[in-house]
Amino acid sequence: MRHWNRYVTQDELRPAIARYAGVGDESIVVGNGADEMIDLVQRIYLERGDAVVDCPPSFEMYSILATVNAARVVEIPRRDDFAIDVGAIERAVERDKPKLIFVANPSNPDGTCASRPVVERLLALPAVIILDEAYAEFGGKSVASLAGEIENLVVFRTLSKAWGLAGIRLGFMVANEKVVDLAMRIKPPYNVNAVTQKIALGALREGKSAMLSSVGKTVAQREWLGASLSRLP
C-alpha cells in the first residue's frame, strides 16, 4: 500500500473482510460500494426483458440499476407492518418468472429482520435471493455464513452504515464460489482504490470495538425512542 503509483489488488482486503463476515475468502467479492455489487449481480444474471422483484419501500438502486440493465421491475410492496409479503412474492415468481429477488434485511426504513422461516421460503423459490444486509450490525442477525453453501443466495454488506465510512465507498457481497467466480471475471480489476483499501483495513483491524460500541448506543436510543413514541396519545 506504500506505492501509490501502482495498481492495487485485493489480496489483503478480501481475507480481512472474510474474517469479519465469518466466511471463507473464496466467498467474498469487494466493490466500490454495495451499489457496484448490485449492478454486478444484475449483469451476471439478467438478459434484456428479464424480471426482478423489488419490495418497496426499499433501496432505490435495485430498481434504478435494473432499468439500466434493461430488466422489468416487479414491485411487491411490503405489508402495512413492513413485513415481506411472501405470498405475493411467490405468486409473482409463478407469474413473472423473475431471476432476481431483492430484499433489504434489515428493512430500511423500519429496521425489522425477516424471520428464518421467511428466508427459507424465499430460498425455496426458483430465483436468486439477494438479501441486502447493509444494516445487519443494527439488526443483530446475518445469514452471510449460509451464502457460501446456498447457490441461490447472495448477501450484500457495507462499511457505509455501522462503520460510518460511507465516503470511502466500500461494499462487498458474500456468495457461493460459482457466483464469485463469475463476478471476478467481469468486474473491473482495480475497482477498489488503494486509499479506500488502506482506510478499510485500518478500520477492520483497529476499529471494530468502537464500531460495536456506537451500534450499541444507537440501538439503545432506538429502543428508547420507540418506547417513548408509543406512550404518546
Side-chain angles (χ1 to χ4, degrees), residues 112-123:
T112 57
C113 294
S115 67
R116 188 62 174 266
V118 166
V119 172
E120 290 174 353
R121 279 180 69 181
L122 292 174
L123 291 173

Side-chain angles (χ1 to χ4, degrees), residues 1 8-17 19 197 201 204-205:
M1 290 286 178
V8 61
T9 65
Q10 300 174 3
D11 294 345
E12 290 183 79
L13 187 60
R14 286 181 73 196
I17 287 176
R19 286 192 296 272
Q197 291 201 42
L201 284 167
L204 290 165
R205 289 169 180 161

Side-chain angles (χ1 to χ4, degrees), residues 76 85-98 125:
I76 307 296
D85 193 338
V86 183
I89 292 175
E90 290 171 335
R91 292 189 292 275
V93 168
E94 185 175 351
R95 180 184 67 244
D96 298 291
K97 306 295 189 293
L125 297 171

Side-chain angles (χ1 to χ4, degrees), residues 105-106 131-137 141-144 155-158:
N105 192 52
L131 297 183
D132 187 344
E133 293 187 346
Y135 292 92
E137 290 85 356
K141 297 178 182 179
S142 174
V143 297
V155 173
F156 292 155
R157 299 286 293 273
T158 181

Side-chain angles (χ1 to χ4, degrees), residues 44-165:
I44 288 171
Y45 286 103
L46 297 178
E47 298 180 18
R48 180 177 294 275
D50 285 341
V52 303
V53 166
D54 186 19
C55 302
S58 64
F59 185 39
E60 64 271 12
M61 292 306 294
Y62 307 150
S63 58
I64 289 173
L65 289 169
T67 302
V68 169
N69 286 301
R72 294 181 293 116
V73 178
V74 178
E75 292 192 346
I76 307 296
R78 288 175 177 261
R79 301 196 313 236
D80 289 344
D81 62 356
F82 289 105
I84 301 165
D85 193 338
V86 183
I89 292 175
E90 290 171 335
R91 292 189 292 275
V93 168
E94 185 175 351
R95 180 184 67 244
D96 298 291
K97 306 295 189 293
K99 288 187 176 178
L100 305 176
I101 298 173
F102 287 90
V103 176
N105 192 52
S107 170
N108 180 10
D110 75 299
T112 57
C113 294
S115 67
R116 188 62 174 266
V118 166
V119 172
E120 290 174 353
R121 279 180 69 181
L122 292 174
L123 291 173
L125 297 171
V128 176
I129 309 302
I130 296 141
L131 297 183
D132 187 344
E133 293 187 346
Y135 292 92
E137 290 85 356
F138 298 100
K141 297 178 182 179
S142 174
V143 297
S145 61
L146 301 178
E149 307 166 10
I150 301 175
E151 189 167 325
N152 70 323
L153 173 62
V154 175
V155 173
F156 292 155
R157 299 286 293 273
T158 181
L159 268 62
S160 293
K161 311 304 182 188
W163 289 90
L165 293 172

